[in-house]
Structures are given as structure tokens and as C-alpha cells.
Amino acid sequence: MLESNEYPQLVICDEVDSTQDELRRLLAQGQASNNQAALAVMARTQTAGRGRLGRSWVSLPGSLYLSIALALPEYSVEVASLSLIVGLAVYEVLEDLTGSQQVIKLKWPNDLVCPKGKLAGILVELNQTEQKPQHVIIGLGVNTQRPQSGASERAAYLSDLSDITLGLEQLAELVIKSIMDYAHALQAAEYSFAGFRDEYNARLSLSGQEVGVRNRLGQILAEGVVAGVDESGLLLIQSGDGSLAKVSSGEVTLR
Ligand code: BTN
């Protein structure tokens, strides 16, 4: 069980390949206790940061690169709901920090976006090893201070939305606390997403808009109007012929 006062120990590195891999290595060395809230790694830069759908995550100094390991409960964890819940947890922190009510949105499954572009991305991976307990590794990149050069055109930064005086370590601690609070709530709900659905849908971007959903090869999985997520967190796409597709993964783009 997750104890409500349990927070992972935060390890801070200057440069790593990927905080996901550094955390995996630390877990393999047995650096985590048996607590469910095990360990977190933050790095100032990454040389091989990765994103969802096989993409890379450019990791210049000045932004937050953080991975958190949570031990899996005895019964099978709903990793899909966990990954949506993490989006809600990060949303809460960023909205509080920037005071940007209704400006930040969640782009399914768990990107945080604002009109200028993508503010944060989340990658949830299973660390499948022989060791017990097994862990799920939650990685997140939050675009924090806009760099002088090298910013992607599609990226937005917290510093675009407000004057951020908070250090990256403090930001990491706020995010970890929020994620742990949501993880406790998810555990209390026996890993059902249903009770979070309304909160999620209220923050969802592209609702009511015509989109296409593609897999990592760029193939279309569904096309139509975004109709929110269902009680399991699947994305609902209403097509022109009235049928309702339920999508479990992919990239949503405006048509
Ligand atoms: C995405 O939107 O595609 C997810 C991006 C996740 C990036 C973070 S940065 C910290 C952690 N380490 C990684 O290599 N990736 C995640």
C-alpha cells in the first residue's frame, strides 16, 4: 500500500542519457527501498531524452527532466489510467504556478499544451525485471525557461505564461507531491479512472473538433470529432456516419 506520507527520494544529476534509464540503473542496483514511493531522478540536461511513440525529447538546460519510480501494487496496475492521472497532477501544478486558468489544456493522452504550443510531455514505462517489487517509471519533461536559442517552434515554456522564479528542484518537488497525491487517490479508487473522468474532460483540448488519430507509423486509427474520454480513459471519436471509435493510444492532430 502507498502510505500518504511517502514521497520518493530525489536524486539530482547534471547530465544523463535519459532520466528514465538512470532511474532504471539505480533500481537495478537496489537503490530503492521496498516502499511504493521509491525513487526519483532529475537531470539538468539529457543527451538521449526520449518521448512517446519512439520520438526523441530535446533536453536543453533550463527545463525540467524528471523520472519517478512507483512500485506496482500486487494486483495489475492500470498503467493507462496512471498515465492520464499524471497529466491531471502536472496540470494542477502548472495552472497554480502560472495562474493560467483555462489557458493550459490536456491534449490526450497526457500532453500539456497552451495556445503557444506544448508545455510538457509525459512518458510512462514499465520496468520489467526479475526484481520485486516491479516499478512503473513516470517520466516528464516540463518546458520551463525559454532558451536563448534552440527552442522548438512547437514548444511553449512556463516563462511564456508568467514570471517563473521557482528553481527546477522546487518545481520537481511540487510535481512529485502532486503526482503522489493523485496516485494515492487512484489507489483509493482501486485504479479505476471513472471518478477522474469529469475532471479530465473539463481540461481536455480539441473537444468538439475534427481530428485524426495516428499510430507511431503515421497510419490513421480514427477520424472524426473528439467527444471526450470514457470511464477507462479511452478517447472517443465520433465519425461522420455516427459510429463511435474508442482509441487507446496514438497521436491526435487537428484535421
Ligand atoms: C512525450 O510527450 O513524448 C513525452 C516526453 C517525456 C520526456 C521526459 S524528460 C524526462 C524523462 N526522460 C526521458 O528520456 N523522457 C522523459
Side-chain angles (χ1 to χ4, degrees):
M1 282 291 279
L2 258 179
E3 299 298 329
S4 54
N5 58 356
E6 262 184 308
Y7 291 106
Q9 180 203 340
L10 178 62
V11 175
I12 302 175
C13 310
D14 276 339
E15 181 180 287
V16 292
D17 46 1
S18 156
T19 53
Q20 298 289 97
D21 295 332
E22 180 65 13
L23 188 43
R24 242 178 253 273
R25 289 188 287 265
L26 294 177
L27 292 172
Q29 291 163 16
Q31 289 210 18
S33 65
N34 272 358
N35 293 343
Q36 185 160 9
L39 204 57
V41 171
M42 170 190 149
R44 309 261 173 221
T45 56
Q46 300 182 115
T47 52
R50 61 174 175 273
R52 287 176 58 242
L53 306 172
R55 299 197 181 119
S56 61
W57 187 261
V58 176
S59 307
L60 300 174
S63 283
L64 179 66
Y65 311 110
L66 177 69
S67 296
I68 305 164
L70 292 187
L72 294 177
E74 278 166 29
Y75 45 95
S76 146
V77 69
E78 291 279 351
V79 176
S81 1
L82 187 65
S83 102
L84 298 182
I85 297 293
V86 172
L88 287 175
V90 178
Y91 179 100
E92 192 175 86
V93 173
L94 301 193
E95 193 185 49
D96 271 7
L97 277 179
T98 58
S100 305
Q101 276 193 338
Q102 302 299 322
V103 174
I104 302 175
K105 296 270 180 199
L106 276 166
K107 180 165 171 274
W108 186 89
N110 51 21
D111 284 350
L112 288 110
V113 296
C114 68
K116 264 195 146 172
K118 179 157 161 171
L119 273 173
I122 293 163
L123 174 70
V124 177
E125 297 177 324
L126 279 174
N127 187 35
Q128 279 169 320
T129 63
E130 298 295 300
Q131 282 184 334
K132 291 280 181 276
Q134 296 215 316
H135 292 91
V136 68
I137 301 187
I138 300 166
L140 70 133
V142 181
N143 298 329
T144 313
Q145 292 291 346
R146 179 171 282 279
Q148 306 257 312
S149 63
S152 148
E153 276 178 16
R154 283 168 300 170
Y157 291 80
L158 292 183
S159 60
D160 300 336
L161 296 179
S162 70
D163 293 332
I164 291 287
T165 50
L166 199 70
L168 291 174
E169 194 177 329
Q170 288 165 293
L171 177 58
E173 274 160 10
L174 288 178
V175 166
I176 290 170
K177 181 173 182 322
S178 184
I179 289 175
M180 294 310 296
D181 289 348
Y182 270 87
H184 289 129
L186 185 63
Q187 177 179 266
E190 297 183 342
Y191 291 91
S192 163
F193 180 74
F196 300 92
R197 178 190 184 185
D198 290 349
E199 179 183 344
Y200 187 93
N201 278 335
R203 288 155 179 61
L204 183 62
S205 74
L206 303 178
S207 268
Q209 300 203 51
E210 284 272 349
V211 300
V213 188
R214 293 171 192 275
N215 65 15
R216 66 170 65 209
L217 303 173
Q219 295 157 335
I220 281 282
L221 300 173
E223 281 180 314
V225 172
V226 174
V229 296
D230 74 2
E231 60 288 345
S232 308
L234 299 176
L235 184 68
L236 303 172
I237 303 287
Q238 182 94 55
S239 69
D241 65 8
S243 63
L244 192 64
K246 295 186 175 194
V247 185
S248 62
S249 73
E251 173 79 5
V252 183
T253 46
L254 268 179
R255 274 209 311 201

